Amino acid sequence: MWNKILDASIFWSFDLSGYLRHEKDFNEAYSFPKESRALITGGTSGIGQAAALELIKQGVQVTITGRNLIRGEALEKSYPDLKFKQMDMAEWSDFDALVNQVDPLDYLVLNAGGMPEKFNTNKQGVELQFASQLFGHYILTHKLVRAGKLKSGARIVWVTSGGMYLKALDIKTIFKNQKYNKVDTYANVKRAQVTLLPFFKKEFPDQIVTAMHPGWAATPGVDEAIPEFAKKMSGRLRTPLQGADTILWLLSTKKKIESGELYFDRKKVSPHFFWFTKKSSTQSNKLQELLKKQLIDL
Ligand SMILES: NC(=O)c1ccc[n+]([C@@H]2O[C@H](COP(=O)([O-])OP(=O)(O)OC[C@H]3O[C@@H](n4cnc5c(N)ncnc54)[C@H](OP(=O)(O)O)[C@@H]3O)[C@@H](O)[C@H]2O)c1
């Protein structure tokens, strides 16, 4: 009963105390087959980096991507089992080089995410958060599958955010947004990722596609994008590795994982807390068409 009340508070669930409370029920250690391979987008910092380093510790060969050459190369130098490929997730034409380079993967973590201060679009006219976190990840996954670089049964994890619980999907702002607000756009993109989970399940029937949200973790991204929140929450945020725990568990668990579902702290959770985020399927269908169209146009 007490746990239910604390979980409903959100604050005492997404924060460090929530992790420490939920962790008491975790009963599986990570375990990965020898010579398995993972690709993590946005592995140069925060949660993605923590996941990459833990996978390496577990004997997995890891490729990370990111835009920051200095951080990526420094990691590559420090960890012989880690490869770095510099890549912006909004620059879709760069994906082929990575796809050609990797050996067939067992795990794909779609983690890259940031909050640009100003509205901007990529070459295809798509707003940068949508272009990188939604379209980019979708296109990259398709390219990997087409090239036979994502094994049958491979696990794909989308890293979304609890911020989406406050946002209903709004696809009007994908190409134009005169009232751009970075946090609102971020929540919208994360809502889009979660809304499309059933679609991804159908698009990638040979793989297991899930999403997770990490709660609130202390990362360079949080410090930079929402410094007031980081300051207020000082001492109450999860570590990057605690934020990455459900990613690592979803990749490694022997329990039955259902494709198309959202997870938090190793449990399947609802994508909605509030009625106003449950909109008609029209927006979702249109978004699916937009994604498929970008694939054809590439
Ligand atoms: N920390 C939290 O409390 C929290 C909460 C909810 C959700 N999340 C999600 O967790 C994921 C990781 O966030 P984090 O907190 O660890 O942030 P972070 O420390 O800023 O790490 C973000 C990573 O994404 C990469 N990235 C960002 N934009 C990119 C782009 N356009 N192209 C390629 N790489 C890009 C960054 O690499 P470069 O800088 O090298 O490009 C970096 O490696 C994100 O999807 C975020 O939305 C985090």
Side-chain angles (χ1 to χ4, degrees), residues 5 14 37 54 56 88 91-92 104-105 113 116 118 131 146 159 164 174 178 191 204-205 214 235 238 263 269 278-279:
I5 293 169
F14 289 13
R37 290 188 205 93
E54 183 60 31
I56 285 171
D88 187 331
E91 295 288 336
W92 307 334
L105 299 162
K118 293 205 169 120
R146 284 180 188 176
V159 180
M164 56 88 197
I174 294 178
Q178 285 177 340
R191 166 58 65 194
F204 307 110
R238 298 166 176 220
Y263 287 80
V269 290
K278 295 181 192 170
K279 283 209 166 168

Side-chain angles (χ1 to χ4, degrees), residues 28-46:
E28 256 187 306
Y30 313 134
S31 139
F32 296 90
K34 271 197 185 126
E35 299 190 1
S36 49
R37 290 188 205 93
L39 171 63
I40 303 180
T41 68
T44 54
S45 170

Side-chain angles (χ1 to χ4, degrees), residues 6-227:
L6 290 172
D7 284 348
S9 75
I10 297 178
F11 185 93
W12 304 106
S13 179
F14 289 13
D15 76 340
L16 174 61
S17 76
Y19 180 83
L20 297 175
R21 192 163 45 82
H22 297 152
E23 186 192 34
K24 290 183 187 142
D25 294 330
F26 296 175
N27 50 20
E28 256 187 306
Y30 313 134
S31 139
F32 296 90
K34 271 197 185 126
E35 299 190 1
S36 49
R37 290 188 205 93
L39 171 63
I40 303 180
T41 68
T44 54
S45 170
I47 290 169
Q49 179 179 315
L53 299 188
E54 183 60 31
L55 285 174
I56 285 171
K57 219 161 95 187
Q58 301 284 334
V60 179
Q61 290 167 34
V62 180
T63 302
I64 60 165
T65 68
R67 295 159 301 180
N68 191 309
L69 190 63
I70 295 172
R71 281 205 308 258
E73 285 187 343
L75 284 164
E76 200 171 41
K77 223 170 164 187
S78 308
Y79 299 93
D81 287 333
L82 181 142
K83 287 190 182 127
F84 167 68
K85 177 81 182 152
Q86 189 183 29
M87 209 173 77
D88 187 331
M89 286 306 302
E91 295 288 336
W92 307 334
S93 52
D94 292 353
F95 295 174
D96 289 331
L98 170 74
V99 172
N100 289 335
Q101 186 180 307
V102 292
D103 289 320
L105 299 162
D106 301 274
Y107 312 114
L108 173 62
V109 182
L110 303 171
N111 163 78
M115 294 188 207
E117 290 297 326
K118 293 205 169 120
F119 179 87
N120 221 326
T121 57
N122 73 349
K123 283 186 201 122
Q124 289 78 6
V126 177
E127 187 282 324
L128 287 183
Q129 293 199 54
F130 269 98
S132 54
Q133 299 186 43
L134 180 69
F135 285 73
H137 281 146
Y138 171 77
I139 291 165
L140 175 63
T141 308
H142 259 292
K143 283 182 176 276
L144 287 165
V145 170
R146 284 180 188 176
K149 296 295 180 80
L150 208 46
K151 290 184 187 170
S152 173
R155 297 187 182 189
I156 305 170
V157 179
W158 288 79
V159 180
T160 182
S161 164
M164 56 88 197
Y165 278 115
L166 294 168
K167 182 74 188 170
L169 180 62
D170 172 14
I171 65 166
K172 286 192 307 293
T173 54
I174 294 178
F175 301 103
K176 269 189 213 154
N177 188 353
Q178 285 177 340
K179 292 183 186 157
Y180 177 81
N181 170 295
K182 67 176 182 182
V183 178
D184 186 64
T185 300
Y186 174 80
N188 196 18
V189 174
K190 297 300 192 185
R191 166 58 65 194
Q193 293 178 337
V194 171
T195 303
L196 293 183
L197 275 172
F199 167 67
F200 298 144
K201 177 182 172 176
K202 280 198 213 139
E203 290 269 292
F204 307 110
D206 295 335
Q207 286 77 28
I208 299 170
V209 192
T210 55
M212 59 74 72
H213 78 84
W216 298 325
T219 63
V222 167
D223 282 345
E224 201 186 308
I226 39 175

